[in-house]
Amino acid sequence: MSVQDPSEFSGPLAGIRIIDLTTVISGPMATMILADQGADVVKVERADGDFTRQLATRRGGHSASYLNNNRNKRSIVVDLKNPDDLEAVKQLAATADVFIQNFRPGVAERLGLGYDALSALNPGLVHMSIAGFGFEGPLASKPVYDPLVQAVSALTTVQAGSDEQRPRLVRTILPDKLTAVQASQAITAALLSRERTGKGQRVTLSMLDTVAAFLWASDMNGHTFVGDEMETEESQSFSDLIYDVQGGYVTISIMQDKHWEALAKATGRPDILVDARFKDAELREINRDARLELTQSIVKDIDRDRLLSDLEAAGVPCAPILTRKEMRMHPQLDANGTVVEYDHPTAGRLRQARGAALFHGTPAKTFRPAPELGEHTDDILGALTPPALSNAS
């Protein structure tokens, strides 16, 4: 993909300016989603930069983490303890569409960057604040990292399978990344509301609320009916839906009667259709551990590729378990155009996943490399009236 001048960028959010004071993952990933869709995101950093600039897996002075969450943005360096720089940020917010920050609750207000102060300068501003646990309550002031949110949200016990099993972390920073997606959606919803009403608004989002809402759709059924809550969550299964076969691993998802019948046909095991434990979907769920153990015993000696071919021919939902390398090279991702390559001026040739949504009427045509620290400070702050050039640049 090509890299062009910012003025040539297009997309559904072209013309929207976002002042981004977020750091690490949840905020920067959210604003990158919006930047990928055409928004002009001005990343406001300290003199030492976003923390992710310092992480491992580096080339050309850049960490992969920083590059993977900050493309299509512009960077300025300011010192928020310096009155001139703080005033410059306020001036930027006064003409922006969106202001987003993930300081600890109360910090933005103390700096004069809270909703009340900035909306007085810009009534049309969408002001987004992201917190870990919330903005009030016993945990609001605690420092937050992804594992802590996984713990308090019960995601770790969901991952374990039952309340009796040892809790397990999800081996990716799901709360951070899920919050990023939720934040980007909330911002676009607020922008749509402004389009209709002419008014901006305050938007607040916590990582804890995001994960709780996410889990409720499928993992809180035992706590949905008031008065009939489960005291202790039963084991979802003693094993997962990954099966060890000859030459690798596969996943097989049996949801409907026709899938169970197809599994029996594909593996030459018609006897499982007369087993009373598995006669319908409800019984297969009640006896899930026995079903999973039986399925494993059926497929364990079958070659992976042959098994997948037979299952697919019979109509059984299935897929191979891929490594990260296999994933990025899979022909389906190639057909989707998911993985793109482009050149960064100092980090070299990069490979990344494009934004997931494709806008066929207003496509975003280019990638802008993640900026050098403070790369656009003079251009952006120098255009303010009166100029407010940063002492930290």
mmCIF file of all heavy atoms in Angstrom, residues 22-65:
data_model
loop_
_atom_site.group_PDB
_atom_site.id
_atom_site.type_symbol
_atom_site.label_atom_id
_atom_site.label_comp_id
_atom_site.label_asym_id
_atom_site.label_seq_id
_atom_site.Cartn_x
_atom_site.Cartn_y
_atom_site.Cartn_z
ATOM 1 N N THR A 22 -4.353 9.708 24.829
ATOM 2 C CA THR A 22 -4.300 8.374 25.416
ATOM 3 C C THR A 22 -2.933 7.738 25.211
ATOM 4 O O THR A 22 -2.168 8.120 24.324
ATOM 5 C CB THR A 22 -5.371 7.454 24.812
ATOM 6 O OG1 THR A 22 -5.097 7.240 23.429
ATOM 7 C CG2 THR A 22 -6.753 8.048 24.990
ATOM 8 N N THR A 23 -2.644 6.720 26.043
ATOM 9 C CA THR A 23 -1.389 5.985 25.948
ATOM 10 C C THR A 23 -1.643 4.491 26.047
ATOM 11 O O THR A 23 -2.731 4.045 26.415
ATOM 12 C CB THR A 23 -0.402 6.393 27.065
ATOM 13 O OG1 THR A 23 -1.002 6.087 28.345
ATOM 14 C CG2 THR A 23 -0.091 7.877 27.009
ATOM 15 N N VAL A 24 -0.649 3.718 25.758
ATOM 16 C CA VAL A 24 -0.577 2.258 25.840
ATOM 17 C C VAL A 24 -1.454 1.631 24.739
ATOM 18 O O VAL A 24 -1.130 1.789 23.567
ATOM 19 C CB VAL A 24 -0.889 1.743 27.255
ATOM 20 C CG1 VAL A 24 -0.527 0.264 27.371
ATOM 21 C CG2 VAL A 24 -0.078 2.533 28.300
ATOM 22 N N ILE A 25 -2.576 0.947 25.062
ATOM 23 C CA ILE A 25 -3.279 0.191 24.030
ATOM 24 C C ILE A 25 -4.733 0.632 23.843
ATOM 25 O O ILE A 25 -5.154 0.928 22.721
ATOM 26 C CB ILE A 25 -3.259 -1.326 24.322
ATOM 27 C CG1 ILE A 25 -1.815 -1.834 24.396
ATOM 28 C CG2 ILE A 25 -4.033 -2.090 23.232
ATOM 29 C CD1 ILE A 25 -1.039 -1.723 23.109
ATOM 30 N N SER A 26 -5.538 0.662 24.895
ATOM 31 C CA SER A 26 -6.982 0.830 24.713
ATOM 32 C C SER A 26 -7.325 2.116 23.974
ATOM 33 O O SER A 26 -8.111 2.104 23.018
ATOM 34 C CB SER A 26 -7.710 0.781 26.057
ATOM 35 O OG SER A 26 -7.305 1.839 26.910
ATOM 36 N N GLY A 27 -6.733 3.248 24.396
ATOM 37 C CA GLY A 27 -6.995 4.497 23.710
ATOM 38 C C GLY A 27 -6.329 4.577 22.351
ATOM 39 O O GLY A 27 -6.984 4.901 21.341
ATOM 40 N N PRO A 28 -5.013 4.318 22.258
ATOM 41 C CA PRO A 28 -4.358 4.388 20.947
ATOM 42 C C PRO A 28 -4.946 3.456 19.892
ATOM 43 O O PRO A 28 -5.048 3.824 18.726
ATOM 44 C CB PRO A 28 -2.909 4.017 21.281
ATOM 45 C CG PRO A 28 -2.723 4.523 22.675
ATOM 46 C CD PRO A 28 -4.033 4.223 23.356
ATOM 47 N N MET A 29 -5.345 2.248 20.277
ATOM 48 C CA MET A 29 -5.956 1.359 19.296
ATOM 49 C C MET A 29 -7.300 1.916 18.844
ATOM 50 O O MET A 29 -7.654 1.840 17.657
ATOM 51 C CB MET A 29 -6.128 -0.045 19.882
ATOM 52 C CG MET A 29 -6.718 -1.040 18.908
ATOM 53 S SD MET A 29 -6.871 -2.691 19.647
ATOM 54 C CE MET A 29 -7.765 -3.536 18.339
ATOM 55 N N ALA A 30 -8.062 2.511 19.793
ATOM 56 C CA ALA A 30 -9.351 3.113 19.435
ATOM 57 C C ALA A 30 -9.167 4.216 18.418
ATOM 58 O O ALA A 30 -9.878 4.291 17.404
ATOM 59 C CB ALA A 30 -10.042 3.655 20.686
ATOM 60 N N THR A 31 -8.197 5.098 18.666
ATOM 61 C CA THR A 31 -8.010 6.213 17.745
ATOM 62 C C THR A 31 -7.378 5.758 16.435
ATOM 63 O O THR A 31 -7.591 6.381 15.396
ATOM 64 C CB THR A 31 -7.170 7.327 18.389
ATOM 65 O OG1 THR A 31 -5.928 6.802 18.873
ATOM 66 C CG2 THR A 31 -7.928 7.960 19.547
ATOM 67 N N MET A 32 -6.616 4.660 16.456
ATOM 68 C CA MET A 32 -6.097 4.138 15.199
ATOM 69 C C MET A 32 -7.230 3.598 14.333
ATOM 70 O O MET A 32 -7.212 3.755 13.105
ATOM 71 C CB MET A 32 -5.058 3.046 15.432
ATOM 72 C CG MET A 32 -4.367 2.610 14.138
ATOM 73 S SD MET A 32 -3.183 1.265 14.352
ATOM 74 C CE MET A 32 -4.305 -0.126 14.565
ATOM 75 N N ILE A 33 -8.214 2.957 14.960
ATOM 76 C CA ILE A 33 -9.382 2.499 14.196
ATOM 77 C C ILE A 33 -10.033 3.682 13.487
ATOM 78 O O ILE A 33 -10.379 3.616 12.303
ATOM 79 C CB ILE A 33 -10.386 1.798 15.123
ATOM 80 C CG1 ILE A 33 -9.812 0.462 15.634
ATOM 81 C CG2 ILE A 33 -11.722 1.553 14.406
ATOM 82 C CD1 ILE A 33 -10.630 -0.183 16.727
ATOM 83 N N LEU A 34 -10.179 4.793 14.209
ATOM 84 C CA LEU A 34 -10.796 5.987 13.633
ATOM 85 C C LEU A 34 -9.884 6.634 12.598
ATOM 86 O O LEU A 34 -10.357 7.136 11.571
ATOM 87 C CB LEU A 34 -11.139 6.967 14.750
ATOM 88 C CG LEU A 34 -12.091 6.410 15.822
ATOM 89 C CD1 LEU A 34 -12.230 7.393 16.980
ATOM 90 C CD2 LEU A 34 -13.455 6.094 15.230
ATOM 91 N N ALA A 35 -8.569 6.609 12.851
ATOM 92 C CA ALA A 35 -7.624 7.144 11.877
ATOM 93 C C ALA A 35 -7.635 6.313 10.606
ATOM 94 O O ALA A 35 -7.550 6.851 9.489
ATOM 95 C CB ALA A 35 -6.217 7.185 12.480
ATOM 96 N N ASP A 36 -7.726 4.995 10.745
ATOM 97 C CA ASP A 36 -7.820 4.134 9.567
ATOM 98 C C ASP A 36 -9.048 4.480 8.732
ATOM 99 O O ASP A 36 -9.072 4.245 7.518
ATOM 100 C CB ASP A 36 -7.903 2.666 9.993
ATOM 101 C CG ASP A 36 -6.572 2.093 10.456
ATOM 102 O OD1 ASP A 36 -5.532 2.774 10.282
ATOM 103 O OD2 ASP A 36 -6.573 0.967 10.988
ATOM 104 N N GLN A 37 -10.079 5.013 9.378
ATOM 105 C CA GLN A 37 -11.319 5.365 8.691
ATOM 106 C C GLN A 37 -11.314 6.814 8.208
ATOM 107 O O GLN A 37 -12.336 7.315 7.759
ATOM 108 C CB GLN A 37 -12.503 5.093 9.619
ATOM 109 C CG GLN A 37 -12.653 3.607 9.937
ATOM 110 C CD GLN A 37 -13.652 3.313 11.044
ATOM 111 O OE1 GLN A 37 -14.284 4.218 11.578
ATOM 112 N NE2 GLN A 37 -13.791 2.052 11.394
ATOM 113 N N GLY A 38 -10.156 7.479 8.291
ATOM 114 C CA GLY A 38 -10.005 8.783 7.681
ATOM 115 C C GLY A 38 -9.888 9.960 8.619
ATOM 116 O O GLY A 38 -9.655 11.085 8.171
ATOM 117 N N ALA A 39 -10.072 9.752 9.926
ATOM 118 C CA ALA A 39 -9.970 10.869 10.867
ATOM 119 C C ALA A 39 -8.526 11.349 10.975
ATOM 120 O O ALA A 39 -7.584 10.570 10.863
ATOM 121 C CB ALA A 39 -10.487 10.450 12.243
ATOM 122 N N ASP A 40 -8.376 12.658 11.211
ATOM 123 C CA ASP A 40 -7.062 13.238 11.475
ATOM 124 C C ASP A 40 -6.822 13.168 12.975
ATOM 125 O O ASP A 40 -7.394 13.941 13.736
ATOM 126 C CB ASP A 40 -7.037 14.696 10.991
ATOM 127 C CG ASP A 40 -5.729 15.400 11.328
ATOM 128 O OD1 ASP A 40 -4.736 14.717 11.641
ATOM 129 O OD2 ASP A 40 -5.709 16.649 11.282
ATOM 130 N N VAL A 41 -6.000 12.225 13.394
ATOM 131 C CA VAL A 41 -5.731 12.014 14.816
ATOM 132 C C VAL A 41 -4.410 12.676 15.177
ATOM 133 O O VAL A 41 -3.358 12.328 14.629
ATOM 134 C CB VAL A 41 -5.695 10.516 15.168
ATOM 135 C CG1 VAL A 41 -5.309 10.316 16.633
ATOM 136 C CG2 VAL A 41 -7.042 9.867 14.881
ATOM 137 N N VAL A 42 -4.474 13.628 16.099
ATOM 138 C CA VAL A 42 -3.285 14.296 16.609
ATOM 139 C C VAL A 42 -2.924 13.643 17.937
ATOM 140 O O VAL A 42 -3.624 13.795 18.938
ATOM 141 C CB VAL A 42 -3.516 15.803 16.793
ATOM 142 C CG1 VAL A 42 -2.268 16.461 17.395
ATOM 143 C CG2 VAL A 42 -3.889 16.451 15.462
ATOM 144 N N LYS A 43 -1.847 12.877 17.935
ATOM 145 C CA LYS A 43 -1.405 12.162 19.128
ATOM 146 C C LYS A 43 -0.550 13.101 19.966
ATOM 147 O O LYS A 43 0.517 13.551 19.519
ATOM 148 C CB LYS A 43 -0.614 10.912 18.746
ATOM 149 C CG LYS A 43 -0.195 10.043 19.933
ATOM 150 C CD LYS A 43 0.461 8.771 19.462
ATOM 151 C CE LYS A 43 0.893 7.891 20.631
ATOM 152 N NZ LYS A 43 -0.237 7.356 21.402
ATOM 153 N N VAL A 44 -0.993 13.382 21.182
ATOM 154 C CA VAL A 44 -0.313 14.314 22.082
ATOM 155 C C VAL A 44 0.536 13.495 23.050
ATOM 156 O O VAL A 44 0.011 12.696 23.827
ATOM 157 C CB VAL A 44 -1.328 15.190 22.849
ATOM 158 C CG1 VAL A 44 -0.602 16.157 23.770
ATOM 159 C CG2 VAL A 44 -2.221 15.935 21.856
ATOM 160 N N GLU A 45 1.859 13.697 23.014
ATOM 161 C CA GLU A 45 2.768 12.875 23.810
ATOM 162 C C GLU A 45 3.660 13.725 24.704
ATOM 163 O O GLU A 45 3.903 14.899 24.435
ATOM 164 C CB GLU A 45 3.647 12.024 22.888
ATOM 165 C CG GLU A 45 2.865 11.102 21.976
ATOM 166 C CD GLU A 45 3.771 10.160 21.194
ATOM 167 O OE1 GLU A 45 4.366 9.256 21.813
ATOM 168 O OE2 GLU A 45 3.875 10.332 19.958
ATOM 169 N N ARG A 46 4.165 13.088 25.745
ATOM 170 C CA ARG A 46 5.180 13.700 26.592
ATOM 171 C C ARG A 46 6.530 13.632 25.882
ATOM 172 O O ARG A 46 6.677 12.986 24.853
ATOM 173 C CB ARG A 46 5.273 12.968 27.933
ATOM 174 C CG ARG A 46 3.962 12.803 28.648
ATOM 175 C CD ARG A 46 4.128 12.190 30.034
ATOM 176 N NE ARG A 46 5.101 11.101 30.097
ATOM 177 C CZ ARG A 46 5.413 10.449 31.196
ATOM 178 N NH1 ARG A 46 4.844 10.789 32.348
ATOM 179 N NH2 ARG A 46 6.291 9.469 31.180
ATOM 180 N N ALA A 47 7.508 14.290 26.487
ATOM 181 C CA ALA A 47 8.841 14.321 25.879
ATOM 182 C C ALA A 47 9.434 12.925 25.723
ATOM 183 O O ALA A 47 10.222 12.674 24.804
ATOM 184 C CB ALA A 47 9.777 15.202 26.706
ATOM 185 N N ASP A 48 9.076 11.996 26.627
ATOM 186 C CA ASP A 48 9.598 10.627 26.515
ATOM 187 C C ASP A 48 8.657 9.716 25.733
ATOM 188 O O ASP A 48 8.939 8.534 25.557
ATOM 189 C CB ASP A 48 9.889 10.039 27.892
ATOM 190 C CG ASP A 48 8.682 10.057 28.817
ATOM 191 O OD1 ASP A 48 7.637 10.640 28.450
ATOM 192 O OD2 ASP A 48 8.768 9.485 29.927
ATOM 193 N N GLY A 49 7.533 10.254 25.270
ATOM 194 C CA GLY A 49 6.659 9.511 24.374
ATOM 195 C C GLY A 49 5.751 8.512 25.055
ATOM 196 O O GLY A 49 5.847 8.248 26.263
ATOM 197 N N ASP A 50 4.845 7.967 24.274
ATOM 198 C CA ASP A 50 3.958 6.893 24.718
ATOM 199 C C ASP A 50 4.812 5.741 25.250
ATOM 200 O O ASP A 50 5.836 5.371 24.652
ATOM 201 C CB ASP A 50 3.110 6.427 23.537
ATOM 202 C CG ASP A 50 1.996 5.450 23.909
ATOM 203 O OD1 ASP A 50 2.236 4.555 24.738
ATOM 204 O OD2 ASP A 50 0.900 5.579 23.355
ATOM 205 N N PHE A 51 4.380 5.143 26.345
ATOM 206 C CA PHE A 51 5.124 4.047 26.976
ATOM 207 C C PHE A 51 5.441 2.931 25.982
ATOM 208 O O PHE A 51 6.509 2.318 26.032
ATOM 209 C CB PHE A 51 4.319 3.489 28.153
ATOM 210 C CG PHE A 51 4.860 2.209 28.715
ATOM 211 C CD1 PHE A 51 6.019 2.198 29.478
ATOM 212 C CD2 PHE A 51 4.224 0.997 28.461
ATOM 213 C CE1 PHE A 51 6.522 1.005 29.988
ATOM 214 C CE2 PHE A 51 4.717 -0.190 28.967
ATOM 215 C CZ PHE A 51 5.874 -0.182 29.738
ATOM 216 N N THR A 52 4.512 2.672 25.038
ATOM 217 C CA THR A 52 4.729 1.549 24.129
ATOM 218 C C THR A 52 5.898 1.789 23.171
ATOM 219 O O THR A 52 6.394 0.841 22.555
ATOM 220 C CB THR A 52 3.468 1.246 23.308
ATOM 221 O OG1 THR A 52 3.098 2.402 22.543
ATOM 222 C CG2 THR A 52 2.322 0.835 24.214
ATOM 223 N N ARG A 53 6.350 3.023 23.063
ATOM 224 C CA ARG A 53 7.541 3.280 22.232
ATOM 225 C C ARG A 53 8.773 2.571 22.802
ATOM 226 O O ARG A 53 9.737 2.332 22.078
ATOM 227 C CB ARG A 53 7.818 4.781 22.158
ATOM 228 C CG ARG A 53 6.847 5.572 21.280
ATOM 229 C CD ARG A 53 7.299 7.027 21.189
ATOM 230 N NE ARG A 53 6.415 7.873 20.394
ATOM 231 C CZ ARG A 53 6.534 8.082 19.077
ATOM 232 N NH1 ARG A 53 7.506 7.483 18.418
ATOM 233 N NH2 ARG A 53 5.697 8.883 18.446
ATOM 234 N N GLN A 54 8.760 2.247 24.098
ATOM 235 C CA GLN A 54 9.937 1.690 24.756
ATOM 236 C C GLN A 54 9.932 0.160 24.803
ATOM 237 O O GLN A 54 10.878 -0.442 25.317
ATOM 238 C CB GLN A 54 10.032 2.228 26.200
ATOM 239 C CG GLN A 54 9.774 3.723 26.343
ATOM 240 C CD GLN A 54 10.674 4.567 25.475
ATOM 241 O OE1 GLN A 54 11.848 4.251 25.292
ATOM 242 N NE2 GLN A 54 10.124 5.648 24.927
ATOM 243 N N LEU A 55 8.895 -0.477 24.300
ATOM 244 C CA LEU A 55 8.771 -1.921 24.459
ATOM 245 C C LEU A 55 9.693 -2.684 23.519
ATOM 246 O O LEU A 55 10.262 -2.139 22.577
ATOM 247 C CB LEU A 55 7.320 -2.342 24.246
ATOM 248 C CG LEU A 55 6.316 -1.767 25.259
ATOM 249 C CD1 LEU A 55 4.913 -2.255 24.942
ATOM 250 C CD2 LEU A 55 6.703 -2.130 26.687
ATOM 251 N N ALA A 56 9.812 -3.978 23.794
ATOM 252 C CA ALA A 56 10.693 -4.852 23.015
ATOM 253 C C ALA A 56 10.081 -5.175 21.654
ATOM 254 O O ALA A 56 8.970 -4.755 21.347
ATOM 255 C CB ALA A 56 10.971 -6.125 23.798
ATOM 256 N N THR A 57 10.813 -5.982 20.891
ATOM 257 C CA THR A 57 10.519 -6.294 19.489
ATOM 258 C C THR A 57 10.617 -5.006 18.693
ATOM 259 O O THR A 57 9.619 -4.363 18.362
ATOM 260 C CB THR A 57 9.135 -6.951 19.313
ATOM 261 O OG1 THR A 57 8.986 -8.021 20.245
ATOM 262 C CG2 THR A 57 8.995 -7.507 17.895
ATOM 263 N N ARG A 58 11.858 -4.607 18.405
ATOM 264 C CA ARG A 58 12.143 -3.288 17.855
ATOM 265 C C ARG A 58 12.937 -3.373 16.556
ATOM 266 O O ARG A 58 13.658 -4.330 16.309
ATOM 267 C CB ARG A 58 12.952 -2.456 18.869
ATOM 268 C CG ARG A 58 12.338 -2.375 20.242
ATOM 269 C CD ARG A 58 13.256 -1.648 21.220
ATOM 270 N NE ARG A 58 13.475 -0.264 20.825
ATOM 271 C CZ ARG A 58 12.604 0.725 21.041
ATOM 272 N NH1 ARG A 58 11.475 0.476 21.657
ATOM 273 N NH2 ARG A 58 12.870 1.959 20.656
ATOM 274 N N ARG A 59 12.788 -2.315 15.744
ATOM 275 C CA ARG A 59 13.643 -2.128 14.587
ATOM 276 C C ARG A 59 13.602 -0.649 14.208
ATOM 277 O O ARG A 59 12.551 -0.016 14.257
ATOM 278 C CB ARG A 59 13.175 -2.974 13.394
ATOM 279 C CG ARG A 59 14.184 -2.979 12.244
ATOM 280 C CD ARG A 59 13.817 -3.992 11.183
ATOM 281 N NE ARG A 59 12.652 -3.581 10.412
ATOM 282 C CZ ARG A 59 12.075 -4.343 9.485
ATOM 283 N NH1 ARG A 59 12.537 -5.574 9.261
ATOM 284 N NH2 ARG A 59 11.024 -3.913 8.821
ATOM 285 N N GLY A 60 14.766 -0.121 13.873
ATOM 286 C CA GLY A 60 14.836 1.272 13.464
ATOM 287 C C GLY A 60 14.412 2.238 14.543
ATOM 288 O O GLY A 60 13.915 3.330 14.240
ATOM 289 N N GLY A 61 14.588 1.834 15.811
ATOM 290 C CA GLY A 61 14.210 2.706 16.912
ATOM 291 C C GLY A 61 12.746 2.678 17.267
ATOM 292 O O GLY A 61 12.287 3.477 18.104
ATOM 293 N N HIS A 62 11.977 1.768 16.678
ATOM 294 C CA HIS A 62 10.537 1.704 16.928
ATOM 295 C C HIS A 62 10.152 0.324 17.447
ATOM 296 O O HIS A 62 10.640 -0.690 16.956
ATOM 297 C CB HIS A 62 9.744 1.986 15.651
ATOM 298 C CG HIS A 62 9.883 3.386 15.148
ATOM 299 N ND1 HIS A 62 9.167 4.434 15.664
ATOM 300 C CD2 HIS A 62 10.658 3.906 14.176
ATOM 301 C CE1 HIS A 62 9.492 5.548 15.034
ATOM 302 N NE2 HIS A 62 10.400 5.257 14.124
ATOM 303 N N SER A 63 9.235 0.291 18.403
ATOM 304 C CA SER A 63 8.693 -0.984 18.858
ATOM 305 C C SER A 63 7.530 -1.386 17.962
ATOM 306 O O SER A 63 6.788 -0.539 17.442
ATOM 307 C CB SER A 63 8.201 -0.877 20.306
ATOM 308 O OG SER A 63 6.984 -0.159 20.379
ATOM 309 N N ALA A 64 7.350 -2.691 17.795
ATOM 310 C CA ALA A 64 6.223 -3.179 17.001
ATOM 311 C C ALA A 64 4.904 -2.773 17.642
ATOM 312 O O ALA A 64 3.940 -2.446 16.939
ATOM 313 C CB ALA A 64 6.307 -4.697 16.865
ATOM 314 N N SER A 65 4.842 -2.782 18.971
ATOM 315 C CA SER A 65 3.603 -2.416 19.651
ATOM 316 C C SER A 65 3.184 -0.997 19.320
ATOM 317 O O SER A 65 2.014 -0.718 19.021
ATOM 318 C CB SER A 65 3.771 -2.567 21.166
ATOM 319 O OG SER A 65 2.591 -2.177 21.848
#
